[in-house]
Amino acid sequence: MFTRRQILTTATIAPTLAAPAIVKAQSWFAGYPFALGVTSGDPAPDGFVIWTKLAPKPFDPHGGMPMVPLPVKWEVASDDRFKTIVASGEAQARPELGHAVHVEVTGMQPDRPYWYRFILGSDMSSRGRARTLPLPSSSPASIKFGVAGCQNYEDGYFTAFRHLAREDDLAFVYHFGDFIYEYEQRGPDYDKDGLPVDQVRQHIGQDCFDLTDYRLRYAQYLSDYDLQAARARHTWFPTFDDHEVENNWVGDFDWKDAPPEIFRLRRQAGLQAWYEYMPVRAALLPRNGIITNAYREARFGDLLSIDFLDTRSFRSDQPCDDGFKTHCAGIDDPKAQVISAEEESWLTRNLTRAQTKWNCVAQQVMMMSLDRRRYADEKEKIYNLDSWAGYEVARKRVLAKMRGLDNVVVLTGDEHQNFAGLLESEGKPVAVEFVSTSISSGGDGSDLRAGSDIMFRNNPQLKFLNDQRGYLLCEVTPDAWTTRFRVMDHVSTAGADINTRATLTVPRGQPSISIA
């Protein structure tokens, strides 16, 4: 048996011999090295990324790992019993990336499931399932996928992810961000009567500022088996929002007014941790403290194109000091932007290529400009300035690019509620927006918040509103887009049932919504 000193000495004297020695010394590991599970993501017609992270002691420094690279074997099979191995190899789990493993698998057949696993010595990971995309030249009869995000560990259990794992025949899951929350353990929560109650669960550690803080927070979240189940069962397209770094950050700005050169250090740590824990390609590795090309696209034959946006990295600072406020001049700033000029040009080209029957814009913050008033004594319209509503010139410019397409659906998160409504340009509907509720953020919720009747009255473009936790299921055919709002009654205790609160359908060629 090797001691830690012997292992590190071996690594110093003979680095090429250190990794095999550690792998053979299985008794050295103090726990199961694949404790944080497996997942797959960023699929293509010929492959996908498979991911794991070595962490025998997830809450210990460096996950309980020695500071040397380790070779991890991987296998991909065409069957769930691994009788037919179609690809295999070895990847380095490097300490610089927290011993995360990202394997970009190629050579697969389009539009079919595969199964994968990792091996370190005599330890084997759990089995994961991945799926490739259809060929661009194909004509799929339908595509079904999930939409989820906003999972505050302290606010509730991740039961919704267990239900999502059990949804059959999903091509992928789009995660719109807020995979973690960066806050330290908070004080009491409050019930519906305003009385103090304990948090459902409590964060380990302080506010996240450096890479160690963020790694610990991801380890805590991924120690939840409901989340692990959804990651193992489905292939993910992950994006990030604000809480992967700090609440409501944009560009070089944070809401605590840290100097930009200081905040960039925190952003760098948060985005590195996001990369380490997500099943994304090496192209999304942060460079110079930022992920310059987090936006990307996926195509499902001639049926559906999806453009995944980055609405944080290059956004102008929120006007009027952020928050929910009445109109101010900054909302109409012609120079303000939500996405970079390059990203906006890329999005415009993709939307107007007319290669697929449906265009989807998958992004993080609401595009509808809603009047947020909920009380009768509020006289002036209230805006959410951390949404597209705070950037009216940029919002109108993007919506104008959708005019005449009549096949655009926008998918959004961030709000911790379910919304559905019409996006308008010059008074005419040009697209439909579905906003997914949270997995747990916001706690149990209810069918409707107080004042929802006022919101409906002030927002004729708003067609559906709900305040329960859950996720979306979207099914797309050549003629219609159907979204099911899957919700639970509570997250304050584990094991809640899930049901479909509403089914909304959009006919192709007509930006409108029918509700069943």
Side-chain angles (χ1 to χ4, degrees):
M1 178 172 132
F2 284 81
T3 66
R4 179 179 174 83
R5 182 180 298 276
Q6 287 171 324
I7 290 168
L8 295 182
T9 300
T10 304
T12 301
I13 296 172
T16 59
L17 299 177
I22 295 171
V23 171
K24 292 178 182 178
Q26 287 303 301
S27 59
W28 181 85
F29 289 107
Y32 179 54
F34 302 109
L36 299 181
V38 301
T39 190
S40 63
D42 275 7
D46 67 340
F48 35 76
V49 177
I50 58 175
W51 173 97
T52 193
K53 195 173 194 289
L54 303 182
K57 289 288 186 179
F59 301 155
D60 284 2
H62 311 295
M65 292 296 297
M67 292 295 95
V68 293
L70 288 179
V72 178
K73 295 181 180 179
W74 57 271
E75 295 178 336
V76 176
S78 59
D79 63 290
D80 60 358
R81 298 177 66 184
F82 286 81
K83 288 185 174 181
T84 304
I85 304 296
V86 295
S88 62
E90 190 172 271
Q92 289 292 317
R94 301 195 61 86
E96 296 90 340
L97 292 175
H99 290 99
V101 177
H102 298 77
V103 179
E104 299 187 19
V105 179
T106 59
M108 303 294 102
Q109 296 299 309
D111 197 19
R112 60 147 295 164
Y114 289 91
W115 289 261
Y116 60 92
R117 63 189 178 191
F118 298 90
I119 303 164
L120 182 63
S122 61
D123 282 312
M124 183 177 293
S125 74
S126 56
R127 178 185 62 190
R129 180 181 180 275
R131 188 175 186 92
T132 51
L133 302 187
L135 289 170
S137 59
S138 66
S139 297
S142 66
I143 290 288
K144 183 179 179 183
F145 62 94
V147 180
C150 291
Q151 54 222 45
N152 192 325
Y153 187 88
E154 292 195 321
D155 282 357
Y157 290 93
F158 294 167
T159 307
F161 275 130
R162 176 72 52 174
H163 291 297
L164 183 59
R166 291 174 173 148
E167 300 283 1
D168 292 330
D169 301 324
L170 298 190
F172 64 93
V173 168
Y174 165 53
H175 193 283
F176 48 75
D178 290 350
F179 192 95
I180 61 162
Y181 280 69
E182 80 286 7
Y183 309 131
E184 66 179 348
Q185 179 179 320
R186 294 179 294 174
D189 204 347
Y190 295 90
D191 65 15
K192 61 182 178 62
D193 299 316
L195 300 176
V197 295
D198 197 6
Q199 301 292 337
V200 176
R201 302 187 286 185
Q202 294 181 337
H203 281 148
I204 299 172
Q206 62 181 24
D207 277 354
C208 297
F209 278 91
D210 65 18
L211 185 55
T212 299
D213 297 331
Y214 287 107
R215 284 173 170 171
L216 177 62
R217 190 58 50 82
Y218 277 96
Q220 183 176 22
Y221 278 53
L222 277 172
S223 295
D224 185 294
Y225 286 119
D226 291 340
L227 176 53
Q228 282 196 27
R231 297 222 323 164
R233 183 66 177 81
H234 300 303
T235 299
W236 287 42
F237 279 107
T239 59
F240 54 82
D241 196 17
D242 54 336
H243 289 289
E244 285 84 356
V245 178
E246 188 204 30
N247 181 51
N248 283 19
W249 75 274
V250 293
D252 291 340
F253 305 99
D254 79 337
W255 74 307
K256 296 178 181 177
D257 294 325
E261 67 273 15
I262 300 300
F263 172 66
R264 284 194 288 267
L265 298 174
R266 186 180 187 185
R267 184 184 66 192
Q268 174 178 306
L271 293 179
Q272 178 176 334
W274 179 83
Y275 173 82
E276 288 180 2
Y277 283 86
M278 294 298 115
V280 293
R281 297 178 183 272
L284 270 65
L285 179 70
R287 290 171 173 81
N288 299 317
I290 199 166
I291 302 174
T292 58
N293 56 345
Y295 59 92
R296 55 208 194 275
E297 64 178 309
R299 183 175 168 188
F300 301 81
D302 65 359
L303 178 59
L304 174 66
S305 291
I306 303 183
D307 296 310
F308 301 97
L309 303 190
D310 171 6
T311 59
R312 289 286 168 189
S313 300
F314 302 99
R315 198 198 308 183
S316 306
D317 198 9
Q318 292 96 338
C320 319
D321 294 324
D322 203 356
F324 288 75
K325 296 181 179 178
T326 57
H327 189 274
C328 68
I331 291 175
D332 300 313
D333 182 357
K335 296 181 180 179
Q337 62 183 35
V338 177
I339 56 179
S340 68
E342 292 78 10
E343 184 176 356
E344 189 172 324
S345 295
W346 166 86
L347 175 62
T348 299
R349 289 194 303 272
N350 289 354
L351 289 175
T352 55
R353 282 183 304 190
Q355 293 179 315
T356 56
K357 296 178 175 64
W358 291 92
N359 279 305
C360 175
V361 180
Q363 48 105 55
Q364 293 75 41
V365 293
M366 186 183 284
M367 200 169 280
M368 282 184 287
S369 181
L370 293 184
D371 183 344
R372 301 290 179 142
R373 286 178 290 178
R374 290 180 176 271
Y375 301 96
D377 61 350
E378 293 174 319
K379 303 304 181 183
E380 294 185 62
K381 182 176 179 178
I382 296 175
Y383 300 83
N384 176 4
L385 301 182
D386 188 47
S387 73
W388 285 81
Y391 305 80
E392 188 61 12
V393 175
R395 192 183 82 90
K396 287 181 176 179
R397 187 170 61 243
V398 168
L399 292 179
K401 302 298 184 182
M402 299 179 185
R403 286 204 298 262
L405 299 179
D406 295 332
N407 69 346
V408 180
V409 172
V410 177
L411 298 175
T412 303
D414 185 61
E415 296 280 345
H416 307 170
Q417 296 182 81
N418 286 312
F419 292 86
L422 303 178
L423 292 165
E424 299 177 339
S425 177
E426 296 184 353
K428 295 182 179 180
V430 296
V432 168
E433 183 172 23
F434 293 116
V435 181
S436 175
T437 188
S438 59
I439 291 291
S440 63
S441 302
D444 287 337
S446 58
D447 186 52
L448 290 172
R449 291 185 185 181
S452 294
D453 57 331
I454 295 175
M455 282 201 72
F456 275 122
R457 185 168 64 245
N458 290 333
N459 295 283
Q461 76 275 33
L462 183 62
K463 306 302 178 183
F464 178 74
L465 179 59
N466 167 263
D467 184 31
Q468 292 168 286
R469 309 287 78 82
Y471 53 85
L472 304 184
L473 288 182
C474 300
E475 188 165 4
V476 184
T477 69
D479 298 322
W481 178 302
T482 301
T483 296
R484 294 176 175 84
F485 288 82
R486 302 281 281 163
V487 301
M488 304 181 303
D489 289 336
H490 62 271
V491 294
S492 55
T493 56
D497 292 332
I498 198 160
N499 63 83
T500 299
R501 171 62 180 79
T503 300
L504 281 64
T505 301
V506 181
R508 181 171 174 266
Q510 182 181 346
S512 63
I513 298 173
S514 62
I515 304 176

